[in-house]
């Protein structure tokens, strides 16, 4: 039977609940248990799809096209399992479902209430993930105990233990143990208050994970154990770790997986832990010290979480090559002013990530051009591909003023446009392509070599496409459309040939969602490999390309 771990947080937000839950997931997986995860988000948006990245960070896209919380990215990277949209439920989605049921008459005229109807729906979302293939569901409850909107979730998870039995549920509470300089000691009072509050809602934690800058002494653990009524082995000290990928090992040293298994009555001898695979990742990270500088040209660079999966993918690629990727966060709007400066010249590689809206677009196009004309390895992701195509159309293909209709509805050359399902250009709407699509790669192309495959699947989240009307002129001008969507013939990958540029590759998809710490994504791996060549002075001299056909003609 499937068992459940509920992870709540207290004292402060941003303590790393998602990473703690993910790390526990990895440890249980290292014990041969089959783990899946779900995030319950108390906010009212139905999903984060429409939220501003400054509000919420990156929107993580699942295989089935769910637009979900960025913590799902951590879950996938740590437990190495592709999740689906049902691994994220918000208050908004739960209420929508309850209200739809009420309108349909499913409640047979009864008064619809938070308890039991909303709490039942929450429990149903969790229960749905249990199956014969899953030993443990880890449930992260977003927000902090004490928030008003978290109450139905706490009530639902309290009832859960009653529903499925004591041995099938473990409650883990994450808190902060601050160090007060004036007193010269670590303070447990915030943890006590937070646990008291949790108990006020009827939840007695089995495990308390204490975040702190310095390790927590045995004496302090005994104090927390006594005052919070948790076994002393259940008090886990979670020290700040050198990298997020060290956290599972830190928590294992503290006995986290042992205490969770005991709480869940899982026979530990039947599930010995094998950390060797993960240890290899951590060793690789420790040995990754060849510096390589990658410029990330985006508009939300003040909030690095907006590009979380891109950053992690770059890091993974670095681990593989023994490289320490340093990211230069470049504000797209400033690119015009930066070209010609040492800062741009020092880049070994560049990523132009996805995005929506007009702000910073000209800067991104300028960045694409700069990387193309200066032999700087560049990977364009989604909007990144689109700006590469616009640059190529304008500056090589002779299509002056070419643009995406997203940014210039009146452009003469809409090289990027809205398309309906039949590949007709449409005025409004357009179908949002979400989730996995198959693409066929051109044999002999850079992308085919990188993937070492002919048909590849990547996740999408965009409305605009390369306009098929401009495909031949662009190809005639030398751009290779190296991957084509299998069903409708949409352009999925573009690149320049090796004789012209070491690595100038764009994808309409979001490969960053598929990279794993021990299995970097091929497109990022090759970007970092090419950037390292540049960083270490090994790039062969390449002939300059004629970048201004317009001026010549
Ligand atoms: N704004 C572009 C589109 O809708 C790109 C989206 C993205 O980068 N995710 O097609």
């Amino acid at each position: 039977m499937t068992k459940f771990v509920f992870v709540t947080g207290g004292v402060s937000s941003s303590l790393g609940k998602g990473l703690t839950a993910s790390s526990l997931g990895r440890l249980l997986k290292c014990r041969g248990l089959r783990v899946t995860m779900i995030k319950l988000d108390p906010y009212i948006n139905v999903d984060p799809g429409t939220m501003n990245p400054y509000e919420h960070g990156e929107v993580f896209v699942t295989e089935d096209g769910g637009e979900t919380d960025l913590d799902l990215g951590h879950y996938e990277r740590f437990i190495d399992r592709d999740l689906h949209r049902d691994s994220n439920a918000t208050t908004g989605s739960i209420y929508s479902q309850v209200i739809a049921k009420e309108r349909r008459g499913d409640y047979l005229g009864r008064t619809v209430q938070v308890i039991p109807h909303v709490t039942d729906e929450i429990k149903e979302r969790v229960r749905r993930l249990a199956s014969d293939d899953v030993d443990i569901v880890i449930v992260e409850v977003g927000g902090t105990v004490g928030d008003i909107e978290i109450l139905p979730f706490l009530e639902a998870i309290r009832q859960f233990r009653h529903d499925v039995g004591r041995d099938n549920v473990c409650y883990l509470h994450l808190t902060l143990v601050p160090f007060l300089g004036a007193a010269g000691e670590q303070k447990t009072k915030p943890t006590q208050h937070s646990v008291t509050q949790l108990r006020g809602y009827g939840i007695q934690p089995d495990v308390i994970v204490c975040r702190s800058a310095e390790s927590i002494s045995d004496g302090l653990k005994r104090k927390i154990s006594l005052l919070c009524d948790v076994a002393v082995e259940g008090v886990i000290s979670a020290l700040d770790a050198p990298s997020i990928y060290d956290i599972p090992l830190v928590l294992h040293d503290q006995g986290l997986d042992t205490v969770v298994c005991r709480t869940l009555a899982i026979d530990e001898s039947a599930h010995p832990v094998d950390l060797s695979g993960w240890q290899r990742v951590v060793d690789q990270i420790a040995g990754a010290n060849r510096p390589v500088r990658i410029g990330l040209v985006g508009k939300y660079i003040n909030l690095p979480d907006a590009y979380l999966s891109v950053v992690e993918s770059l890091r993974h690629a670095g681990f593989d090559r023994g490289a320490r990727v340093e990211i230069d966060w470049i504000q797209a709007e400033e690119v015009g002013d930066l070209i010609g400066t040492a800062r741009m010249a020092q880049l070994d590689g560049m990523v132009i990530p996805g995005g929506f809206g007009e702000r910073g677009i000209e800067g991104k196009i300028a960045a694409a051009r700069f990387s193309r004309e200066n032999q700087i390895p560049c990977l364009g992701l989604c909007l990144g591909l689109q700006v590469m195509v616009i640059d190529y159309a304008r500056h090589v293909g002779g299509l002056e003023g070419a643009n995406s209709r997203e940014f210039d509805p009146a452009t003469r050359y809409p090289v990027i446009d809205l398309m309906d399902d039949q590949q007709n250009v449409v005025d409004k709407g357009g179908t949002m392509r979400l989730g996995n699509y198959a693409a066929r790669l051109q044999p002999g192309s850079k992308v085919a070599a990188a993937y070492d495959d002919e048909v590849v699947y990547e996740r999408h989240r965009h409305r605009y496409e390369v306009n098929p009307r401009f495909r031949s002129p662009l190809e005639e001008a030398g751009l290779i459309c190296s991957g084509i969507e299998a069903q409708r013939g949409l352009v999925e990958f573009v690149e320049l040939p090796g004789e012209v540029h070491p690595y100038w590759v764009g994808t309409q998809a979001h490969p960053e969602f598929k990279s794993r710490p021990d299995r970097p994504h091929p497109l990022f791996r090759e970007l970092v490999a090419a950037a390292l060549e540049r960083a270490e002075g090994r790039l062969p001299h390449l002939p300059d390309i004629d970048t201004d056909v317009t001026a010549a003609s």
Side-chain angles (χ1 to χ4, degrees):
M1 130 136 221
T2 307
K3 295 172 183 271
F4 302 84
V5 179
F6 293 98
V7 178
T8 54
V11 182
S12 164
S13 57
S14 306
L15 288 183
K17 229 177 325 131
L19 285 167
T20 305
S22 304
S23 299
L24 173 63
R26 186 69 200 200
L27 290 175
L28 296 173
K29 187 180 162 94
C30 289
R31 286 184 175 272
L33 294 159
R34 296 161 305 170
V35 179
T36 195
M37 301 185 68
I38 174 170
K39 172 97 188 267
L40 301 175
D41 274 313
Y43 54 73
I44 294 172
N45 305 63
V46 173
D47 64 41
T50 53
M51 281 159 99
N52 183 326
Y54 274 131
E55 288 283 317
H56 195 263
E58 156 188 287
V59 174
F60 186 83
V61 181
T62 53
E63 299 270 302
D64 59 342
E67 298 178 274
T68 70
D69 186 78
L70 54 71
D71 272 322
L72 270 78
H74 288 313
Y75 300 170
E76 287 204 358
R77 290 186 281 271
F78 277 72
I79 65 171
D80 195 6
R81 183 183 177 114
D82 289 334
L83 302 174
H84 295 100
R85 64 173 79 238
D86 59 2
S87 275
N88 195 190
T90 68
T91 291
S93 73
I94 286 157
Y95 269 80
S96 303
Q97 183 66 26
V98 168
I99 291 168
K101 282 186 182 167
E102 187 272 337
R103 292 288 89 185
R104 274 202 314 263
D106 291 4
Y107 296 117
L108 306 175
R110 283 192 299 270
T111 309
V112 180
Q113 293 177 299
V114 173
I115 304 169
H117 302 103
V118 169
T119 46
D120 279 354
E121 184 63 31
I122 296 171
K123 290 194 287 182
E124 173 54 25
R125 300 291 176 101
V126 172
R127 215 178 279 119
R128 229 182 256 168
L129 289 175
S131 74
D132 290 345
D133 304 329
V134 173
D135 297 313
I136 296 181
V137 181
I138 299 177
V139 185
E140 179 190 348
V141 183
T144 306
V145 168
D147 296 345
I148 288 178
E149 57 269 31
I150 206 175
L151 289 176
F153 293 92
L154 295 182
E155 172 59 14
I157 71 171
R158 181 197 68 75
Q159 292 178 9
F160 216 91
R161 185 176 238 177
H162 182 85
D163 294 350
V164 300
R166 194 146 280 276
D167 286 349
N168 295 319
V169 168
C170 172
Y171 295 115
L172 184 158
H173 189 58
L174 178 68
T175 71
L176 176 70
V177 176
F179 178 83
L180 279 197
E185 59 184 0
Q186 292 174 312
K187 290 294 181 189
T188 62
K189 197 69 87 184
T191 298
Q192 291 174 47
H193 281 307
S194 173
V195 171
T196 301
Q197 199 161 20
L198 192 60
R199 289 162 74 181
Y201 302 130
I203 298 171
Q204 166 62 47
D206 302 293
V207 183
I208 301 177
V209 176
C210 305
R211 279 296 307 275
S212 59
E214 294 290 322
S215 118
I216 293 170
S217 68
D218 287 347
L220 217 55
K221 282 189 178 178
R222 280 196 297 276
K223 185 174 170 190
I224 294 171
S225 156
L226 181 68
L227 295 172
C228 299
D229 206 9
V230 170
V232 77
E233 310 77 58
V235 182
I236 303 290
S237 169
L239 275 185
D240 295 347
S243 109
I244 58 171
Y245 299 109
D246 284 85
I247 301 173
L249 301 181
V250 170
L251 294 176
H252 173 73
D253 283 344
Q254 286 283 313
L256 176 67
D257 44 313
T258 305
V259 65
V260 168
C261 284
R262 283 187 195 153
T263 308
L264 294 174
I266 290 171
D267 179 4
E268 280 172 80
S269 59
H271 293 282
V273 68
D274 175 6
L275 293 170
S276 54
W278 199 257
Q279 183 68 53
R280 262 197 303 280
V281 172
V282 171
D283 292 345
Q284 251 189 351
I285 299 175
N289 42 33
R290 295 160 69 188
V292 63
R293 201 171 177 72
I294 307 281
L296 196 151
V297 185
K299 65 174 178 176
Y300 303 109
I301 57 162
N302 300 329
L303 182 77
D305 266 3
Y307 302 107
L308 187 59
S309 293
V310 175
V311 171
E312 289 311 313
S313 302
L314 286 169
R315 295 215 169 108
H316 302 162
F319 305 159
D320 184 64
R321 299 281 149 150
R324 191 181 67 248
V325 175
E326 288 160 11
I327 294 183
D328 187 358
W329 296 91
I330 298 174
Q331 174 54 254
E333 286 164 298
E334 291 168 10
V335 171
D337 297 334
L338 290 174
I339 284 175
T341 63
R343 182 171 166 197
M344 292 299 273
Q346 276 161 8
L347 296 179
D348 302 314
M350 193 188 273
V351 172
I352 308 179
F356 292 83
E358 198 191 340
R359 185 167 69 83
I361 282 303
E362 287 302 321
K364 289 189 175 183
I365 297 168
R369 180 181 192 180
F370 175 79
S371 67
R372 183 173 53 74
E373 293 179 344
N374 292 281
Q375 305 285 312
I376 296 175
C378 178
L379 176 62
L381 308 169
C382 203
L383 178 64
L385 168 138
Q386 298 176 357
V387 298
M388 286 168 123
V389 168
I390 295 169
D391 158 52
Y392 208 79
R394 284 186 191 175
H395 305 116
V396 186
L399 305 174
E400 203 178 324
N403 214 329
S404 162
R405 270 214 299 131
E406 182 178 5
F407 316 124
D408 180 2
T411 174
R412 270 178 73 196
Y413 303 116
V415 290
I416 308 292
D417 213 330
L418 279 182
M419 224 73 68
D420 69 6
D421 281 347
Q422 278 72 49
Q423 271 231 67
N424 300 310
V425 170
V426 289
D427 265 349
K428 282 216 179 71
T431 329
M432 179 81 132
R433 262 217 284 164
L434 278 170
N436 250 356
Y437 283 85
R440 183 166 288 284
L441 305 182
Q442 181 175 311
S445 61
K446 279 193 187 162
V447 290
Y451 281 96
D452 192 20
D453 217 336
E454 278 170 27
V455 177
V456 296
Y457 296 82
E458 291 291 358
R459 302 181 195 173
H460 289 249
R461 179 171 180 254
H462 58 101
R463 229 175 232 111
Y464 289 78
E465 306 282 354
V466 175
N467 186 341
R469 182 151 74 87
F470 293 96
R471 192 173 149 192
S472 331
L474 287 166
E475 285 178 328
E476 276 155 28
L479 187 71
I480 301 177
C481 297
S482 50
I484 303 297
E485 196 254 333
Q487 300 272 311
R488 284 181 288 158
L490 301 165
V491 174
E492 295 278 36
F493 294 88
V494 300
E495 62 185 72
L496 286 178
E499 315 83 78
V500 173
H501 197 287
Y503 192 82
W504 204 71
V505 172
T507 169
Q508 189 56 78
H510 286 283
E512 67 270 25
F513 297 136
K514 288 203 176 179
S515 181
R516 303 281 157 88
D518 50 352
R519 222 169 41 252
H521 189 284
L523 296 184
F524 284 89
R525 192 191 62 218
E526 294 310 311
L527 170 75
V528 168
L532 265 179
E533 294 291 292
R534 186 178 168 92
E536 297 174 358
R538 278 190 309 279
L539 270 189
H541 178 76
L542 293 159
D544 288 343
I545 44 167
D546 183 3
T547 52
D548 206 349
V549 174
T550 347
S553 57

